[in-house]
Amino acid sequence: MPVVDIPGSKSITARALFLAAAADGVTTLRRPLRSDDTEGFAEGLTALGHRVGRTPDAWQVDGCPQGPPAREADVYCRDGATTARFLPTLAAAGRGTYRFDASPQMRRRPLLPLTRALRDLGVDLRHEGAEGHHPLTVRAAGVEGGEVVLDAGQSSQYLTALLLLGPLTRKGLRIRVTDLVSVPYVEITIAMMRAFGVEVVRETAQGEDVFAVPPGGYRATTYAVEPDASTASYFFAAAAVTPGGEVTVPGLGEGALQGDLGFVDVLRRMGAEVSVRPHGTTVRGTGSLRGLTVNMRDISDTMPTLAAIAPFASGPVRIEDVANTRVKECDRLDACAENLRRLGAGVRTGPDWIEIHPGASATAGAEIKSYGDHRIVMSFAVAGLRVPGISFDDPGCVRKTFPGFHEAFAAVRAGLPR
């Protein structure tokens, strides 16, 4: 029975790096994810003047509650959405001039709801090219705080960035949210802020969510990063599509912060056996997967995982309310549809849904088009358990979140029943 040691959560590592940089004192992060995204985040903190000390199993970060120690910085955010959205927000709390740029892929991804909100709070923030996109410059003089309105319907990261900023403002923040996607990621943020000494209050008023964040800063701490639930989804799916296959992920069980562990409930509805225990989760394939209709708004990063195994279900799989997946590293709905058709599956898509019919007629050798998206590659690696000879045009793009994915997946594959 394969037991998979999943690397630390990307989402939690990014938030922890922000919190550590903003806290009063030195924070130790245990088992942080080491990947292109998180290394880029740490590199950005270093450019902003923070000390980040790295050992194989822990990172230590010197915090500065007044904002970045550097008075000038040029930060390259690579491909990282959390880096590109969180670090300009952190910089706004400081005093200085900070320029941010990112990869061509990240330059295409939207920022406008966040940059509008920061401007509404008095931040001098200017986009150099297309409005609402990198590159941008922040001329920071601290943030007073107060009330701000935010549309987080494209990405919950906009709200997370403002929540993380709240304790660094002089008066605190009240954030009125008109639309919100991926709510579990916001719950991760609030739980982690609590671990660093800040209590966020969430209210509902006139049908809108209001988040009240007090001023006063963060306390440094020692923080353990749990395994990445989105990454675990590929290994759980591998068990589900393999009759008699079983995969256990330790360290990700009852009480996990990440909503993406809810993917195992989707597998359970399809017919897999699932056991979620205090110290780990096990999925076992029963030999049958049923079709279903599922709303994945709150766990949309696992949409490609489900799409990739959908052709092997006994009935159609329809995934709804995932419009936000069109503005990720690529348009994931179109990318999944294109690659499923390459496998010979019947697919229909709409603005926020995809419907996949049983059957993959490709017998061997389909090349998967990755669009430079780590999640497309990792998802369709699972389809490769049932369709022999799948290859990828850019297998290396998994370095974004899991540089050792292909080796880890090959080891699990070897341990599953033939």
Side-chain angles (χ1 to χ4, degrees):
M1 176 187 79
V3 174
V4 189
D5 187 23
I6 298 289
S9 160
K10 180 183 79 157
S11 304
I12 291 175
T13 301
R15 286 160 175 77
L17 284 167
F18 183 115
L19 289 161
D24 191 4
V26 179
T27 290
T28 299
L29 306 181
R30 300 208 182 283
R31 288 201 68 218
L33 173 64
R34 302 198 71 152
S35 73
D36 194 66
D37 269 13
T38 58
E39 293 281 3
F41 200 116
E43 180 183 282
L45 288 179
T46 302
L48 292 170
H50 295 276
R51 187 189 72 88
V52 182
R54 299 176 176 88
T55 64
D57 291 322
W59 286 355
Q60 281 196 329
V61 183
D62 287 4
C64 186
Q66 294 79 38
R71 291 292 174 260
E72 274 186 37
D74 207 322
V75 179
Y76 182 64
C77 300
R78 303 192 194 183
D79 272 342
T82 48
T83 311
R85 291 162 180 173
F86 294 0
L87 288 188
T89 310
L90 175 65
R95 294 187 178 277
T97 302
Y98 309 102
R99 183 180 181 274
F100 297 87
D101 201 357
S103 69
Q105 185 190 54
M106 189 60 226
R107 276 186 171 198
R108 289 192 295 273
R109 297 181 67 181
L111 283 172
L112 192 58
L114 175 60
T115 56
R116 272 186 182 147
L118 289 171
R119 284 170 174 161
D120 288 346
L121 289 167
V123 177
D124 181 351
L125 186 154
R126 295 174 196 184
H127 295 281
E128 289 176 23
E131 187 65 12
H133 295 267
H134 279 281
L136 61 88
T137 298
V138 177
R139 289 176 176 82
V143 182
E144 188 67 16
E147 181 158 318
V148 68
V149 178
L150 176 73
D151 179 347
Q154 269 183 335
S155 173
S156 64
Q157 288 177 3
Y158 306 147
L159 175 56
T160 280
L162 292 179
L163 289 169
L164 292 169
L165 173 66
L168 306 180
T169 64
R170 290 183 275 277
K171 297 191 329 198
L173 279 185
R174 277 180 64 81
I175 308 161
R176 282 201 297 120
V177 181
T178 57
D179 191 18
L180 179 58
V181 71
S182 302
V183 173
Y185 283 100
V186 177
E187 290 166 350
I188 292 172
T189 305
I190 291 170
M192 291 183 67
M193 289 171 70
R194 187 179 301 123
F196 282 77
V198 173
E199 198 66 53
V200 177
V201 177
R202 182 178 180 179
E203 312 153 7
T204 304
Q206 285 93 47
E208 292 178 344
D209 282 316
V210 180
F211 296 83
V213 190
Y218 296 104
R219 286 195 305 268
T221 187
T222 297
Y223 193 87
V225 177
E226 70 186 29
D228 194 294
S230 310
T231 300
S233 74
Y234 314 115
F235 297 90
F236 292 140
V241 297
T242 307
E246 192 171 304
V247 165
T248 295
V249 175
L252 195 64
E254 292 170 7
L257 290 182
Q258 298 161 87
D260 276 4
L261 185 56
F263 180 72
V264 299
D265 296 326
V266 178
L267 295 178
R268 182 188 279 125
R269 284 178 59 193
M270 294 179 79
E273 290 178 1
V274 175
S275 170
V276 182
R277 301 174 308 286
H279 303 297
T281 297
T282 299
V283 172
R284 184 172 178 278
T286 59
S288 76
L289 281 178
R290 295 185 289 274
L292 82 171
T293 297
V294 59
N295 183 309
M296 296 189 83
R297 180 182 177 90
D298 285 342
I299 56 169
S300 59
D301 273 350
T302 63
M303 178 279 289
T305 322
L306 179 56
I309 64 171
F312 315 115
S314 59
V317 170
R318 184 179 169 94
I319 305 168
E320 298 180 336
D321 207 358
V322 286
N324 67 311
T325 64
R326 291 194 180 276
V327 291
K328 298 283 188 174
E329 282 80 345
C330 69
D331 182 330
R332 287 183 178 159
L333 280 176
D334 280 358
C336 285
E338 159 75 11
N339 286 310
L340 287 164
R341 290 183 184 118
R342 289 181 177 211
L343 299 185
V347 187
R348 295 192 308 130
T349 59
D352 67 345
W353 57 269
I354 184 168
E355 187 174 290
I356 302 137
H357 290 264
S361 59
T363 52
E367 184 181 70
I368 298 301
K369 190 173 177 185
S370 68
Y371 298 89
D373 190 332
H374 57 130
R375 300 216 181 278
I376 298 299
V377 171
M378 292 191 276
S379 297
F380 281 87
V382 185
L385 295 172
R386 298 285 289 267
V387 179
I390 277 181
S391 62
F392 299 96
D393 64 352
D394 183 12
C397 68
V398 298
R399 64 185 170 274
K400 183 175 171 68
T401 49
F402 191 176
F405 170 78
H406 293 294
E407 296 79 5
F409 197 78
V412 167
R413 183 178 194 146
L416 292 171
R418 292 289 174 193

